[in-house]
Amino acid sequence: MNRLFPRACPCLRSPLAALALLLLACLTTLAGGATAKTAERPNFVIIIADDMAWDDCGAYGNSKIRTPNLDRLAREGMRFDRAFLMTSSCSPSRASILTGRYPHATGAPELHQPLPASQVMLSEPLREAGYYTASAGKWHLGGPAKSKWDLVREGGGPSGCEHWLPVLRERPKEKPFFLWLAAVDPHRQYQPGAISRPHSPEEVVVPPYLPDTESVRRDLALYYDEIARMDGFIGQVLDELEKQDLAKNTFVLFLTDNGRPFPRCKTTLYDDGIRTPFLVRFPGRVKPGSQSDSLVSAVDIAPTVLDLAGIKAAPTFHGRSFARLLENPKATVREYAFAEHNWHDYRAFERGARSRRFTYIRNWLPELPGTPPADAVTSPTYAVLRELRDQGNLPPQQRSIFVTPRPAEELYDLEADPHSFKNLAGDPKYSGVLDKHRKALDHWREETGDTFDRERLTPDGFDRETGARKLPRGKARPE
């Protein structure tokens, strides 16, 4: 007997009526399947640090920083070893990630510029598809962008992470969700007491482009403390996902918006500026403890999230989905990661192309020094660099931030020279590599509408030697 249509049902006496009921049953079954599919849609949690180097956690080899929860993400998910940002500057980086567009194409390429309302954010297609969308913590994207979210809960202090757990707990339970959890840690200015057991200056790892002095070590130790504080909040989020039985269906991504706020890091296009930690946990799709050497860019995050959600990517996106890497870490998504440096406290215009082995940087303003951001200029570390420079005791690898003119072109072999000290742009042996990267950068600029206009560049907003403001307090940048 047909269970859908029992023989006793009088409506089956008409063949047309029987066919109608069969179609109705099929539609009912499909609708039920759609409901089940909707219920199984993945949730998304993106956690973003503020000014953290790519390798400043245990998962990437710095065992001196206490980051048990980031290390847990790496154990339970995938660690990407060649992930890059589109810029090493706070608000432009975040705007670029959330629009899936390069900074020069977002309408907010410079620090503190609000994202125009005309830009399509990742939250919009997700919300249209039934997702609950919320941002908690640092909001650095201006007023117009807030309308594109169900909830924007700014602030929380001093870490910037204090609203994360309440937003996760208070969300509508009947909807899948997308949470953008944005820390202020480890942004300057630093104060002692961020964590109960602070890092000691003796245990920090001083990179070779910084002087190894007690003052620099104390500065780095306080930076370590804020990373550890943020790590504690990340642990709370991971535990809450487990408690709510959400972990198995939630894509969790951790990254940073730019490099550490120290000279030759933040705002540069070297790896210490644009390379990012990139940890993905997604049970069922990502093998625990896996690792990928494939090149990915943070501009790829928006299309990847939509791909995993089964939503068509917005035509405005520049990035490409890296979803296949989650199951096949050796796959190739892109040959180059592109990045740019625009105004961040100081006048600038640089562009870069990073391949697996080499990085190429072109500087349109070589007459200007590579001044770090103003908060780094006023730091204890910069004071040490300036003092050693004035004494004539600064070695070449620590002197570059003061040198003018700078090279108009730079090329580095990152396998042999991970900190980009030896410029190969003038070496005939690398002329082919240089030409290939030049052409890739030119093609990217043409394809994305990147232009240079010297007359329209924003002037310095701070003094390059002292970090003192050149504009009234309360104005983030010159007009």
Side-chain angles (χ1 to χ4, degrees), residues 315-391:
T316 55
F317 290 174
H318 287 150
R320 58 194 72 172
S321 173
F322 61 81
R324 56 183 168 152
L325 290 177
L326 302 180
E327 295 176 352
N328 180 12
K330 296 186 182 299
T332 299
V333 173
R334 55 171 58 247
E335 187 177 359
Y336 297 95
F338 300 99
E340 57 192 85
H341 175 201
N342 304 302
W343 188 92
H344 181 124
D345 298 336
Y346 303 102
R347 195 170 183 232
F349 195 96
E350 299 166 42
R351 300 294 184 260
R354 176 60 156 87
S355 61
R356 282 181 57 87
R357 179 173 173 177
F358 294 92
T359 193
Y360 169 69
I361 300 169
R362 191 183 303 170
N363 183 8
W364 275 255
L365 303 171
E367 69 275 12
L368 297 177
T371 310
D375 61 353
V377 170
T378 58
S379 71
T381 295
Y382 191 84
V384 172
L385 285 163
R386 193 169 54 224
E387 181 181 358
L388 291 173
R389 177 204 62 185
D390 294 345
Q391 294 171 354

Side-chain angles (χ1 to χ4, degrees), residues 46-371:
I46 296 179
I47 303 171
I48 184 164
D50 194 358
D51 294 8
M52 176 180 164
W54 73 275
D55 53 351
D56 278 341
C57 62
Y60 284 92
N62 190 338
S63 60
K64 303 298 184 180
I65 306 181
R66 293 188 289 276
T67 53
N69 296 296
L70 289 176
D71 302 348
R72 171 186 171 188
L73 271 180
R75 286 195 310 272
E76 297 177 356
M78 181 179 292
R79 188 191 75 199
F80 287 79
D81 287 346
R82 284 186 172 88
F84 296 91
L85 301 159
M86 295 72 72
T87 185
S88 184
S89 178
C90 306
S91 60
S93 181
R94 293 159 189 254
S96 192
I97 293 167
L98 285 168
T99 61
R101 295 173 66 77
Y102 290 101
H104 65 264
T106 64
E110 299 181 354
L111 182 67
H112 300 307
Q113 286 183 320
L115 187 69
S118 59
Q119 291 290 322
V120 177
M121 299 185 77
L122 172 58
S123 55
E124 293 178 270
L126 286 170
R127 191 160 69 165
E128 289 169 6
Y131 275 77
Y132 175 72
T133 62
S135 170
K138 182 171 182 176
W139 180 257
H140 210 182
L141 301 170
K146 291 183 179 179
S147 64
K148 301 172 185 290
W149 299 74
D150 292 302
L151 174 70
V152 173
R153 186 170 292 178
E154 291 187 63
S159 177
C161 311
E162 286 78 1
H163 294 322
W164 291 3
L165 208 56
V167 167
L168 176 57
R169 287 172 173 167
E170 296 164 10
R171 76 189 196 287
K173 300 302 187 292
E174 72 279 3
K175 289 185 174 185
F177 57 86
F178 166 58
L179 303 184
W180 173 261
L181 306 182
V184 172
D185 288 338
H187 195 286
R188 292 185 184 274
Q189 301 291 338
Y190 300 136
Q191 298 293 331
I195 55 175
S196 59
R197 188 164 64 94
H199 296 83
S200 69
E202 293 74 26
E203 62 186 323
V204 306
V205 178
V206 181
Y209 46 80
L210 298 178
D212 190 348
T213 70
E214 180 66 19
S215 182
V216 172
R217 284 181 169 274
R218 285 198 302 267
D219 204 14
L220 284 166
L222 293 174
Y223 159 76
Y224 282 20
D225 289 351
E226 291 206 359
I227 293 175
R229 177 170 62 184
M230 174 188 62
D231 185 84
F233 285 98
I234 292 171
Q236 291 180 18
V237 170
L238 298 180
D239 290 346
E240 185 65 22
L241 290 172
E242 295 280 358
K243 183 179 178 181
Q244 295 188 32
D245 196 26
L246 295 168
K248 60 181 178 294
N249 193 38
T250 299
F251 171 98
V252 178
L253 166 63
F254 172 79
L255 77 161
T256 185
D257 60 357
N258 49 246
R260 70 172 70 86
F262 284 76
R264 214 173 182 274
C265 300
K266 182 178 176 179
T267 71
T268 77
L269 299 187
Y270 302 125
D271 272 20
D272 291 292
I274 62 167
R275 196 169 181 176
T276 178
F278 208 83
L279 301 170
V280 174
R281 189 183 75 173
F282 195 19
R285 292 289 295 270
V286 171
K287 181 181 177 182
S290 54
Q291 175 267 337
S292 177
D293 287 327
S294 297
L295 206 66
V296 294
S297 170
V299 78
D300 301 328
I301 292 172
T304 301
V305 167
L306 293 189
D307 187 4
L308 295 172
I311 303 169
K312 186 177 180 181
T316 55
F317 290 174
H318 287 150
R320 58 194 72 172
S321 173
F322 61 81
R324 56 183 168 152
L325 290 177
L326 302 180
E327 295 176 352
N328 180 12
K330 296 186 182 299
T332 299
V333 173
R334 55 171 58 247
E335 187 177 359
Y336 297 95
F338 300 99
E340 57 192 85
H341 175 201
N342 304 302
W343 188 92
H344 181 124
D345 298 336
Y346 303 102
R347 195 170 183 232
F349 195 96
E350 299 166 42
R351 300 294 184 260
R354 176 60 156 87
S355 61
R356 282 181 57 87
R357 179 173 173 177
F358 294 92
T359 193
Y360 169 69
I361 300 169
R362 191 183 303 170
N363 183 8
W364 275 255
L365 303 171
E367 69 275 12
L368 297 177
T371 310

